[in-house]
Amino acid sequence: MKTVSRFLSLTALLAGAASAGCAMDPDPDVAAQSAAVIAQQRPDGTMGYYKHVCAGSPGPGAAVCHALAATDAQGRNVIAATRPDGSPDGLHPDEVQRAYAIPSWGGAGQTVAIVDAFDNPNAEADLQVYRTKFGLPACTTANGCFRKVNQDGKATPLPSGNFDWGQEIALDLDAVSAACPSCKILLVEATTNSYANFEIAEKTAANLGAVAISNSWGGDEFSTEAASSSKWNFPGVGVFFSTGDDGFGLEYPSVSQYVTAVGGTTLTQAADAARGWREAAWAGAGSGCSQYIAKPSWQHDTSCSNRSVSDVSAVANPSTGLAIYNTYLDVGWSVFGGTSLSTPLVAAIYTTAGVPGAGPSLSYGGADAYFDVTTGSNGSCGNYLCIAGIGYDGPTGNGSPGGTLFLNPPDPNRVAGGGVTGDFDGDGKADVMVLYDNGNASAALWVFPGTTGQVDGATAPYRVWYAPGPNAFDANRAKVSAGDFDGDGKTDVLMLYDYGSGSAGLFVIPGVAGHFQGATQPFRVWNPGPGNFEVSRAKISAGDFDHDGKADLLALYDYGNASAGLFVFPGTTGRTDGSSNPYRIWFAPGPNAFNVNNVKVSAGDFNGDGKADMLALYDYGGSTAGLFVFPGVASHVEGASQPARVWFVQGPNAFDVWRTKVSAGDFDGDGKADLLALYDYGSASAGLFVFPGTTGKVDGSSVPYRVWNPGPGSFDVGRARITAGDFDHNGKADVMALYDYGSGSAGLFVFPGTTGKVDGASNPYRVWNPGPGSFDGRLSRVP
């Protein structure tokens, strides 16, 4: 292992403590003092002390943990309750969240895994004490939030207990809790600290559904490490490794090109700093240039021809460390640091921001999502590999992550074309997808996953695609719908894109199970060239119109002079231009045949024949309205589908189409899609109407009824974007409304599907509400 020369080392008072690889429980009084005590100056100028928890060499083929305990001069863990209010010393969760701009609602339902060696028998009980102390939600085996398994993924038998690694486990659990209170936690305990056992445990963590895996351990580089590096590669899962705590120099596996290498900083509150906090490179953080791992394509620094470390950083200095709670042969409250702290923090922050599996290249995609750390050093190499500066450097990588800085979140006012719905991740519940305009021709796709929960925080959005500007993808040029276009069982987002000059393209963003940025990438299936199709003349929706098992894009097209046509872009498994070429199945020549400008459209199997129909709510003027159904057909010839009007109401003041926002889904669970209309009465008064699906083809076949009407001052329809789908997986479609409160605050409401047909049969509940300022575009930047 690397030697420590820049610190004042005190001779260990006692010797002979068990090594990190020993499965026996040492006498805690001896173990507490056996490691060399390191003295360093605290940020306030006083002298502080700490020690390596896993002291000594791990031996060949094994790793050492990187936890550091703040101690007194004799090497005893300090019982940290020195704050004026009597609370534990060290950083608290709310301070971690403020320092790193973490969206506390983020990561809901996502699993962060911790891989450590041996067992801490008190891990779950101590975790509950920690979370209760700081007002965090319970995370237990009983409520499904916490799970502890052996390296094979089984609850028993667990490894033997170990004092040193037990402290590491406590630190990791509390760090994840502090940065991501809404995350689930999976603790995978390897039988020993050998790489062979760690590799098994790592694979188990990935197989059990973790989106991020935190590893606070490592060892020296070795000549065959490049061949072993791929063992940490789990595409779609973020793998994070600490860089070590002995200053300039490297450790494996943090040098692997498949993992995110996490360095360390000193973090202090600073009222005079714009952020409210100040960070500097911590002298103990590992960094450098790998001897054996080739430079990955996403690194471009010039003084290292191989892999540079680190990639990203967070607080690690034990003098500014985290308050933790551990009673397994320990004192209870104490303060811990090391890159063992920064690593689970970064893994959790990435998870809250929806980017845990984006890979080690994420931080190199742009500095805007990171707080640049520009001061401090961890050695005397003479260049950026050990000296912090503007931009990339070894000790801190591209900086420390700003949780909300990753987000350019779905403010309802920047959602292009409103939300769309479908089972994007293939879990049987409909999700709400929003195409989001970042500005400067930058766009992103966000997904609010379906859930059976009915409380705030039951769902939280994650970003699966991001196109950085300038001039990457202008969301304002796209009209958006959704359906299973390629027939794989997951809903795809369909974007009809306007290039100008009568040129258009049809893009497909395929549905994926992954919940991380980059999980999906759009492809274009149609681009006929200039002068062929005016996107501004089309109103679109999607459904399986021809009953071939793939959703089609349906476009009601305005030729002018009240002349119209209905085009079908057939679903396809192809991914190249020309894979989907539209055909026209209905044409109404003008003048005054059918005015597309007077309609609001949606699609669904309204007549229950297994084929999706195009539904057009038509405005005749004077609050006179009608509902037309264009029946789905297998034929591809013009005239194969002829519209039927199934409802007509005559004004004045009967039904104003322009006061409605519409979607479609089987709201009453009878096997036929219904047209759903959220109606604006004015004065923030609203009503939800259901036009029930029917096999009839004459006026009066479908008569709308109202299932919700809360009265004035309750709900401003002008602030809502709606869509519909079976969000709670109960067999009936629900209406989802993304609601803008203003001041950068938004909420997602669900109106549950019901068989009732009276006011109050469906009452909305809110499943997401991150609070004021959370979604303020002025404060949001993207990587």
Side-chain angles (χ1 to χ4, degrees), residues 254-268:
S254 68
V255 294
S256 168
Q257 70 271 36
Y258 299 111
V259 312
T260 298
V262 184
T265 67
T266 297
L267 177 72
T268 53

Side-chain angles (χ1 to χ4, degrees), residues 617-629:
L617 192 60
Y618 194 91
D619 174 42
Y620 290 98
S623 294
T624 296
L627 176 60
F628 288 86
V629 179

Side-chain angles (χ1 to χ4, degrees), residues 90-356:
L91 289 169
H92 294 186
D94 63 322
E95 293 167 334
V96 170
Q97 291 163 26
R98 289 199 303 272
Y100 293 109
I102 300 170
S104 60
W105 48 266
Q110 302 299 300
T111 298
V112 176
I114 293 163
V115 173
D116 280 320
F118 304 108
D119 179 39
N120 179 332
N122 299 356
E124 182 173 3
D126 288 347
L127 177 63
Q128 305 324 307
V129 174
Y130 178 86
R131 293 176 72 104
T132 299
K133 178 68 176 181
F134 295 117
L136 305 181
C139 189
T140 65
T141 302
N143 70 10
C145 173
F146 178 76
R147 184 179 181 188
K148 180 164 79 167
V149 298
N150 62 25
Q151 66 185 34
D152 298 315
K154 299 177 181 179
T156 58
L158 293 171
S160 57
N162 181 272
F163 174 60
D164 297 342
W165 282 87
Q167 295 174 88
E168 176 67 63
I169 289 169
L171 168 60
D172 291 342
L173 292 175
D174 292 352
V176 170
S177 296
C180 187
S182 298
C183 285
K184 295 181 178 180
I185 303 176
L186 170 66
L187 173 59
V188 183
E189 296 181 333
T191 304
T192 71
N193 57 329
S194 72
Y195 282 122
N197 285 325
F198 275 136
E199 289 165 6
I200 296 170
E202 199 83 2
K203 185 179 294 185
T204 293
N207 289 341
L208 291 180
V211 299
I213 306 174
S214 174
N215 305 275
S216 295
W217 41 267
D220 291 335
E221 283 200 271
F222 52 93
S223 60
T224 60
E225 67 185 24
S228 299
S229 182
S230 62
K231 294 176 182 177
W232 316 111
N233 181 24
F234 300 96
V237 178
V239 179
F240 301 82
F241 271 94
S242 53
T243 61
D245 304 320
D246 291 331
F248 182 62
L250 290 184
E251 291 197 357
Y252 174 87
S254 68
V255 294
S256 168
Q257 70 271 36
Y258 299 111
V259 312
T260 298
V262 184
T265 67
T266 297
L267 177 72
T268 53
Q269 294 196 55
D272 60 338
R275 174 184 163 196
W277 299 80
R278 187 169 288 116
E279 273 185 293
W282 173 54
S287 71
C289 182
S290 174
Q291 299 179 66
Y292 309 109
I293 303 292
K295 197 167 202 67
S297 60
W298 31 265
Q299 282 193 329
H300 304 288
D301 55 303
T302 57
S303 293
C304 171
S305 59
N306 284 341
R307 165 77 153 112
S308 301
V309 168
S310 60
D311 300 315
V312 64
S313 59
V315 60
N317 189 337
S319 293
T320 62
L322 183 74
I324 76 153
Y325 188 76
N326 176 41
T327 61
Y328 178 52
L329 301 175
D330 208 349
V331 295
W333 290 106
S334 51
V335 177
F336 273 66
T339 50
S340 272
L341 168 59
S342 58
T343 301
L345 287 179
V346 169
I349 293 169
Y350 274 37
T351 302
T352 67
V355 294

Side-chain angles (χ1 to χ4, degrees), residues 483-559:
D484 185 8
F485 198 72
D486 55 11
D488 68 350
K490 294 186 285 290
T491 299
D492 312 304
V493 174
L494 312 175
M495 303 183 297
L496 193 58
Y497 194 85
D498 181 13
Y499 290 103
S501 302
S503 179
L506 178 59
F507 287 86
V508 179
I509 305 182
V512 291
H515 287 203
F516 56 91
Q517 181 169 293
T520 187
Q521 294 295 326
F523 53 87
R524 194 173 63 187
V525 293
W526 176 70
N527 178 230
N532 285 281
F533 196 95
E534 292 274 2
V535 173
S536 62
R537 291 178 174 270
K539 295 191 175 179
I540 70 169
S541 193
D544 186 5
F545 195 78
D546 57 8
H547 196 42
D548 69 347
K550 297 185 287 290
D552 313 299
L553 183 72
L554 311 173
L556 198 56
Y557 193 84
D558 173 30
Y559 288 99

